[in-house]
Amino acid sequence: MLHKTLLILMLLPFALGMQAQDNNSMLVVRFAEENIEIDNSTRRFIDNKDISEEVFFSKIKKIQQKAIEDVIAREGYEIKGIKQQVSLLPSEFANLEKQQSIDKLSEDINRSFFQKILNVFNPGNPDWYMSSRFSSDKKDRISTTLQQQDSKYALFLHKFEVKRSLCGEAQLITHFSLLNDESEIVLGGQNIYYADMKNSMNKNVLNHLLETAFIDTFAIIFDKLK
């Protein structure tokens, strides 16, 4: 009897760890095709590199997919995609509108008054972002899907923009929302990654910039969850 009790006590942390790992998953709803946008300067840039818009958009989607998988794996999460969430299609969330940024995961309350004053002078992202229209019906389906898949959060990637100035500086902008299993938006905003897209840049460097921009955005989101 004593041996059985000791064995159970030894295996209990392992079993709890496995259960926690099973619950540590996140649903991801990716960009709808029409919500990837580039400006005329970027069009001229990729045209000079003999890259068509179709190839460039395909590259963006492929690199975004790899980046979110890498970050989620690094953070100990399991990614769940369209096969597990057939009721949540990107095309349904393609109709976007301007919304105020929201961060219910912020630890801002723990920062000193002096830190808050200094932060006013730091460059930051705008206080708005492009978000889907989450109707009551869609919120119910999001909550139901998360509960069925035993996931705590759903990450919606709404829009991706590339805006390049004539001198080569570019903004790679990702708009996103993070909803919990009660279909409440707990984090929503846009992350801007600044890059230098010069005329002399080769294609491999361009891939690296896109990858870094997405990893930067996803890392910020997961940092908020810690």
Side-chain angles (χ1 to χ4, degrees), residues 26-190:
M26 178 179 290
L27 294 175
V28 179
V29 179
R30 299 172 183 84
F31 305 109
E33 181 74 28
E34 56 267 43
N35 288 344
I36 300 176
E37 295 183 2
I38 62 176
D39 63 2
N40 290 330
S41 179
T42 305
R43 285 189 178 88
R44 289 191 293 270
F45 173 78
I46 63 174
D47 186 59
N48 290 335
K49 302 294 180 187
D50 294 323
I51 304 174
S52 68
E53 281 192 39
E54 291 77 13
V55 170
F56 188 57
F57 283 15
S58 176
K59 183 189 300 289
I60 289 173
K61 290 188 291 184
K62 183 178 180 180
I63 292 175
Q64 173 270 310
Q65 168 74 12
K66 179 67 164 54
I68 186 63
E69 288 177 354
D70 288 348
V71 173
I72 282 184
R74 185 182 69 196
E75 297 294 336
Y77 279 74
E78 175 193 357
I79 188 171
K80 294 193 175 182
I82 209 66
K83 292 181 180 178
Q84 292 84 14
Q85 55 188 52
V86 291
S87 63
L88 306 176
L89 300 176
S91 58
E92 288 190 77
F93 300 91
N95 190 12
L96 306 180
E97 60 183 7
K98 197 171 182 178
Q99 292 189 13
Q100 287 296 115
S101 297
I102 184 171
D103 185 358
K104 294 187 177 180
L105 301 173
S106 175
E107 298 296 330
D108 189 62
I109 192 172
N110 295 325
R111 296 164 60 204
S112 68
F113 177 76
F114 183 66
Q115 288 174 319
K116 293 178 183 179
I117 292 295
L118 286 179
N119 194 57
V120 172
F121 302 100
N122 292 333
N125 292 320
D127 60 358
W128 60 270
Y129 70 110
M130 299 305 296
S131 175
S132 299
R133 296 175 182 174
F134 293 104
S135 63
S136 297
D137 175 64
K138 287 181 179 178
K139 285 185 176 181
D140 289 342
R141 287 166 52 211
I142 292 169
S143 178
T144 300
T145 303
L146 286 172
Q147 291 172 15
Q148 288 175 344
Q149 299 300 327
D150 200 17
S151 297
K152 179 64 177 176
Y153 297 105
L155 175 61
F156 286 82
L157 303 175
H158 302 301
K159 186 174 183 178
F160 182 72
E161 303 173 88
V162 183
K163 297 180 179 180
R164 180 180 176 274
S165 66
L166 294 177
C167 62
E169 183 183 76
Q171 298 180 16
L172 283 60
I173 310 170
T174 306
H175 301 255
F176 60 87
S177 292
L178 186 70
L179 282 73
N180 61 19
D181 53 7
E182 296 179 356
S183 67
E184 176 187 29
I185 300 177
V186 293
L187 183 63
Q190 58 170 300

